[in-house]
Amino acid sequence: MQKNTPYILFLTFVLLVTVSFFLLIKDFLLACFWAIILAVVFYPVYQWINRYFKNSEILPLFLTMLTIILVFVIPLLIITLMITEESTAYYQKIQSGEINPQVYFQDTLALLLPKFNKLSHIQEISVEQISASAGNAFTQAVQYIAQQLPALTQNILNLIVQVALSFYILFFLLRDGQQLIRKLIALIPIGDKIEIELFERFTSVARATVKGGLLVAVIQGSIGGLLFWFVGIPAAFLWGMLMIVLSLLPIGSALIWAPAAVILFLQGYTLKAVILLSVGIFVIAMIDNFLRPRLIGKDSKMSDYLVLVSTLGGISWFSLTGFVLGPIIAALFITFWDILGKYNQASNS
């Protein structure tokens, strides 16, 4: 017992120092997380570029990081600013009375529920009441998005620091990532085979979520937004952004374009409804089946219900970062229990 005392004491100090270190960098953990995710997703790109510039160490790194900026950072920044600008303009129109969401919802409900007021068991609820509630909820949602611009402007310095730190860490992860993984495998005392399996699981889910899920969602939402604009639906850009968010989930963007097609049909715009429904079924819905397997390749997949629950839980816990972190935690959870099951089977046999 006494022989183990120094080792236990040492492990205690290791744990205390580790916790202290994470508390020290807690404000920058988000930057570290995105640096790791970007390194995992774009490391194959770095390897591909490195094959053409074997005599230079810096140039492949520079070109890879430039690719990340052009493919990931700039589009994300543009989309964020456009959402905020569109929301602000739309909210100003609501406040000036140019747009009245309550009237829109009232007209829609009147079309969908022509006999609503004749239902005896809910006589106390009227179309006007529901439309007022829906209109207020829509207005508040638009207002919330519009109010994020001042907050974004106030935190611009912090955002610049976080992005700069992410790319600084990313540089070293791309260059020394394989060595770091080998060191971690050697240091973590739970068995090399288990650690390699965990790293592979983390890598596959991160790539599947970002490369497959995010890109497919952006394509589907962009097509949906353009389609809404083409058929003349108000706030097409905002609806497109909402379709991007829903496309990240197994629920899909059909929750937006399918009801919109029904409403257009009930309003008498049959051609527009047919166009919306046709593009939705044969283009937007098929993109998921056509592009996702090619973008994800052999990366691991999880059940749709698990993706849905873990993504929603991740967003609830970690804000927008949760759409990546949630599925990763769920995948590691499954992997740990699978490994535990294998060990139990091996012990019993």
Side-chain angles (χ1 to χ4, degrees), residues 85-302:
E85 183 180 354
E86 184 84 4
S87 302
T88 303
Y90 205 74
Y91 181 65
Q92 289 174 351
K93 289 180 180 179
I94 291 173
Q95 289 220 325
S96 65
E98 185 178 347
I99 296 175
N100 190 341
Q102 181 176 339
V103 173
Y104 173 77
F105 284 108
Q106 184 173 337
D107 293 342
T108 303
L109 287 169
L111 286 167
L112 293 174
L113 306 170
K115 299 181 180 180
F116 185 82
N117 287 317
K118 295 181 180 179
L119 299 177
S120 58
H121 60 287
I122 49 172
Q123 282 183 349
E124 68 277 4
I125 303 176
S126 65
V127 171
E128 289 76 13
Q129 288 173 323
I130 296 178
S131 60
S133 300
N136 290 334
F138 181 78
T139 303
Q140 289 173 3
V142 173
Q143 181 183 9
Y144 173 78
I145 298 172
Q147 288 173 344
Q148 298 311 302
L149 182 59
L152 181 64
T153 305
Q154 292 169 5
N155 296 324
I156 192 70
L157 180 60
N158 179 56
L159 181 64
I160 292 172
V161 171
Q162 295 279 358
V163 172
L165 182 60
S166 293
F167 274 87
Y168 182 75
I169 298 170
L170 176 63
F171 175 87
F172 292 101
L173 289 178
L174 287 172
R175 191 187 69 177
D176 307 322
Q178 294 297 322
Q179 296 178 13
L180 289 172
I181 290 174
R182 285 194 291 269
K183 285 182 179 180
L184 284 173
I185 291 173
L187 287 172
I188 300 174
I190 59 175
D192 291 357
K193 186 177 179 181
I194 296 176
E195 292 154 18
I196 291 171
E197 187 174 350
L198 290 173
F199 277 117
E200 288 176 350
R201 186 68 167 159
F202 173 85
T203 301
S204 64
V205 175
R207 285 178 179 164
T209 305
V210 176
K211 185 177 68 176
L214 184 59
L215 189 54
V216 169
V218 168
I219 293 172
Q220 287 181 314
S222 300
I223 294 174
L226 288 172
L227 183 61
F228 272 38
W229 170 79
F230 179 76
V231 298
I233 294 176
F237 185 80
L238 287 177
W239 288 119
M241 293 303 104
L242 184 57
M243 280 188 268
I244 289 177
V245 174
L246 290 175
S247 295
L248 291 170
L249 307 173
I251 300 171
S253 58
L255 280 178
I256 303 296
W257 56 259
V262 173
I263 292 170
L264 286 175
F265 180 77
L266 292 172
Q267 289 176 337
Y269 300 108
T270 306
L271 180 60
K272 291 182 178 181
V274 170
I275 293 172
L276 186 57
L277 201 59
S278 300
V279 176
I281 294 173
F282 297 108
V283 179
I284 298 177
M286 294 303 296
I287 282 173
D288 191 72
N289 297 326
F290 178 77
L291 276 183
R292 195 180 294 272
R294 287 161 177 78
L295 290 171
I296 295 175
K298 296 181 180 179
D299 291 341
S300 300
K301 295 182 181 180
M302 292 187 293

Side-chain angles (χ1 to χ4, degrees), residues 304-322:
D304 285 347
Y305 71 88
L306 190 58
V307 173
L308 174 61
V309 173
S310 61
T311 303
L312 291 176
I315 293 172
S316 175
W317 270 27
F318 307 104
S319 188
L320 289 178
T321 304

